[in-house]
Amino acid sequence: MEKLVDEGKTKLIGVSNFSTPKLKRLLGVCRIHPVVNQVELHPYFPQKGLVEFCQKNEIHVTAYSPLGCTPVPYLIERRGPGPLEDPTVRFHTVQSIHRVNLKADRFQINQLAKKYSRTPAQVILSHMIHLGVSVIPKNNSRGRISENFDCLFELEQADYKLLGNLMGARGERGVRNLETREYLGFDNFNEEVEEP
C-alpha cells in the first residue's frame, strides 16, 4: 500500500478490522501511517480502548454496522436480531439496573428516541458522530436512509454518557455481530493479544 502512495495511485492508506495490538505492530514498522480504521462499532460493541488508541494516534475511526445490524448467523456465536430489530425495543421491556441481557439497554435507547422526537437509529448515529466517529449505516429502505441523514443534533451530556456506558464503563459487556472465532479458528479482534 505504501508503494501505491509513492506511485501516486492513492493518497491515503486505511485499514479495516485492526485491533489495538495489530495497529501497534503496524505503526512500529510502517513508513506511512494509516489514516482510518474501519471497524464494527455500535452502542452494544463500543470498543472504547480501540477508539481511544486510534484517536491518540491520529487514526480516524469509521463505524460499519453503527446500528448493530442483524448478525450473520453462520459467522457468529450469538443468534438473534440486532439492537434496532429486537422486539424488546418495541415492547418497552425494563429490567433491573444489573442487566443480564440487553433488554433494558434497548429500552433506554427507545426512551431517548422519544425524548428527542427521533428514531432510535438517529439517536445512535448522533451519539457515534459526537464521539468523533464517522458512520456508514446500511439500509435498503429509502425512507430510513433519508431519516439517517437527519442525525446531526445534540443530546444532553447525561444522555451521551448513558449511551456510552450501556455495555459497562469500558464496554466490557460488549457484544459484536461479527464473531470470527468459529470460522477463522482465532479471535481476529482480540484487544489483549495479537492473533494471526
Side-chain angles (χ1 to χ4, degrees):
M1 291 301 294
E2 290 177 329
K3 186 177 179 183
L4 293 174
V5 174
D6 295 339
E7 293 172 354
K9 294 181 179 176
T10 188
K11 292 185 179 187
L12 305 168
I13 298 173
V15 295
S16 181
N17 294 321
F18 269 50
S19 62
T20 302
K22 284 181 174 54
L23 285 170
K24 285 179 180 178
R25 183 166 64 105
L26 177 65
L27 293 175
V29 298
C30 69
R31 182 171 46 87
I32 302 172
H33 286 205
V35 296
V36 66
N37 186 16
Q38 183 182 43
V39 297
E40 178 183 350
L41 193 69
H42 47 79
Y44 297 162
F45 192 56
Q47 300 206 67
K48 291 182 179 186
L50 176 62
V51 172
E52 290 167 2
F53 179 83
C54 286
Q55 290 175 342
K56 179 181 174 188
N57 287 279
E58 298 182 359
I59 300 170
H60 181 75
V61 176
T62 295
Y64 68 77
S65 299
L67 303 176
C69 77
T70 302
V72 180
Y74 177 73
L75 301 180
I76 64 162
E77 294 173 1
R78 183 170 70 88
R79 305 288 189 256
L84 294 179
E85 298 301 320
D86 191 282
T88 55
V89 171
R90 296 185 187 107
F91 298 132
H92 308 233
T93 304
V94 182
Q95 293 190 344
S96 150
I97 195 71
H98 302 289
R99 298 180 258 308
V100 176
N101 59 40
L102 303 176
K103 290 181 180 178
D105 302 324
R106 291 183 184 111
F107 172 77
Q108 291 173 327
I109 291 173
N110 200 46
Q111 289 301 96
L112 289 177
K114 284 184 177 183
K115 177 179 177 178
Y116 292 99
S117 299
R118 304 290 181 140
T119 67
Q122 290 170 325
V123 169
I124 290 170
L125 295 174
S126 175
H127 169 67
M128 301 295 282
I129 292 168
H130 174 78
L131 296 175
V133 172
S134 57
V135 294
I136 49 175
K138 178 187 176 294
N139 205 303
N140 294 324
S141 162
R142 287 183 184 207
R144 287 192 180 145
I145 291 169
S146 180
E147 281 178 354
N148 288 346
F149 278 107
D150 190 21
C151 65
L152 298 177
F153 60 94
E154 293 291 319
L155 304 176
E156 294 174 11
Q157 287 304 311
D159 294 333
Y160 283 126
K161 185 175 180 179
L162 177 90
L163 285 169
N165 292 324
L166 286 176
M167 296 289 95
R170 298 295 305 152
E172 60 274 7
R173 293 190 323 267
V175 179
R176 72 172 71 119
N177 286 319
L178 179 59
E179 181 57 72
T180 60
R181 287 182 203 127
E182 189 175 315
Y183 73 98
L184 287 179
F186 61 90
D187 183 1
N188 190 49
F189 307 114
N190 190 327
E191 283 297 308
E192 304 299 321
V193 178
E194 181 181 357
E195 298 193 36

